[in-house]
């Protein structure tokens, strides 16, 4: 049995559910590995100029730093879930405590896809959503998703279908 991170409402269907992709973590890994390798580089430079320094602890720092980087990346990806239904978008984060952010699909006004040159090569990116609200907390996004343009199109399709299914306002939106 598959357990969904959110309970579906009546007349609501799951469109897509996923986690940030591993390819999106490559830049995080590169930064972590470079930071972990810094003591080793310093020791190697000191050895080149004639200072007798042991390689033991810098290698240990490199191995431990690489392991922590990979583990942190896995935890961040595994415990972040993005869900798109015919009625809502949701982000769920956390291990012991959970933070959930959601918005009605039909309230989404703008959808922006961000990709760096490396993201484009890796076919990952971020999708930011602006909802029909002035509250800055109502803005959120999916980071590190695979094929972000295709996912944006699925969200636009769900939004358009949701708007078509909503009954028209007889007052024309005037109060």
């Amino acid at each position: 049995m598959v357990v969904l991170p959110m309970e579906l409402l009546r007349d609501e269907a799951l469109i897509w559910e996923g986690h940030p992709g591993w390819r999106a973590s490559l830049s995080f890994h590169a930064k972590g590995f470079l930071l972990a390798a810094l003591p080793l580089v310093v020791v190697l430079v000191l050895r080149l100029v004639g200072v007798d320094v042991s390689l033991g602890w810098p290698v240990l720092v490199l191995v431990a730093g690489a392991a922590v980087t990979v583990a942190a990346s896995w935890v961040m990806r595994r415990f972040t879930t993005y869900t798109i239904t015919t009625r809502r978008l949701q982000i769920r984060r956390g291990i012991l405590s959970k933070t959930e952010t959601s918005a009605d699909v039909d309230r989404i006004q703008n959808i922006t896809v961000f990709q760096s040159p490396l993201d484009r090569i890796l076919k990952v990116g971020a999708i930011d959503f602006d909802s029909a609200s002035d509250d800055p907390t109502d803005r959120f996004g999916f980071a590190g998703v695979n094929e972000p343009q295709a996912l944006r199109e699925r969200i636009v399709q769900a939004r358009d279908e949701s708007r078509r299914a909503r009954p028209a306002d007889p007052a024309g939106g005037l109060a």
Side-chain angles (χ1 to χ4, degrees):
M1 179 172 140
V2 176
V3 178
L4 297 175
M6 65 190 247
E7 190 173 315
L8 296 178
L9 303 173
R10 188 170 34 106
D11 299 329
E12 182 177 33
L14 182 67
I15 293 174
W16 180 85
E17 180 179 60
H19 302 277
W22 66 268
R23 293 180 304 222
S25 300
L26 292 180
S27 63
F28 178 79
H29 289 158
K31 291 172 191 171
F33 295 160
L34 288 173
L35 187 62
L38 193 58
L40 182 61
V41 170
V42 169
V43 166
L44 290 175
V45 168
L46 288 174
R47 289 178 71 128
L48 282 174
V49 296
V51 178
D52 186 28
V53 183
S54 170
L55 285 174
W57 68 268
V59 170
L60 182 62
V61 168
L62 176 63
V63 171
V68 167
T69 299
V70 170
S73 172
W74 180 84
V75 166
M76 287 188 302
R77 286 185 302 106
R78 173 64 181 92
F79 293 99
T80 299
T81 304
Y82 304 133
T83 306
I84 303 168
T85 72
T86 52
R87 296 181 64 185
R88 296 180 286 169
L89 303 174
Q90 182 185 58
I91 303 170
R92 186 175 189 183
R93 292 183 176 98
I95 299 172
L96 298 176
S97 64
K98 298 284 185 188
T99 301
E100 293 182 6
T101 306
S102 65
D104 289 339
V105 168
D106 62 347
R107 294 184 50 87
I108 299 297
Q109 292 182 333
N110 300 313
I111 302 171
T112 306
V113 173
F114 293 100
Q115 287 182 295
S116 70
L118 180 60
D119 288 343
R120 288 185 57 154
I121 292 168
L122 297 173
K123 297 182 181 179
V124 296
I127 304 174
D128 283 346
F129 308 100
D130 294 330
S131 65
S133 170
D134 291 332
D135 188 353
T137 61
D138 286 343
R139 293 186 181 139
F140 64 100
F142 293 177
V145 295
N146 296 327
E147 308 283 341
Q149 288 86 359
L151 189 54
R152 176 190 57 206
E153 294 308 313
R154 292 174 87 175
I155 295 165
V156 167
Q157 182 180 7
R159 180 191 65 191
D160 293 347
E161 288 174 8
S162 175
R163 288 180 178 168
R164 280 192 295 272
R166 191 174 31 162
D169 183 2
L174 302 175

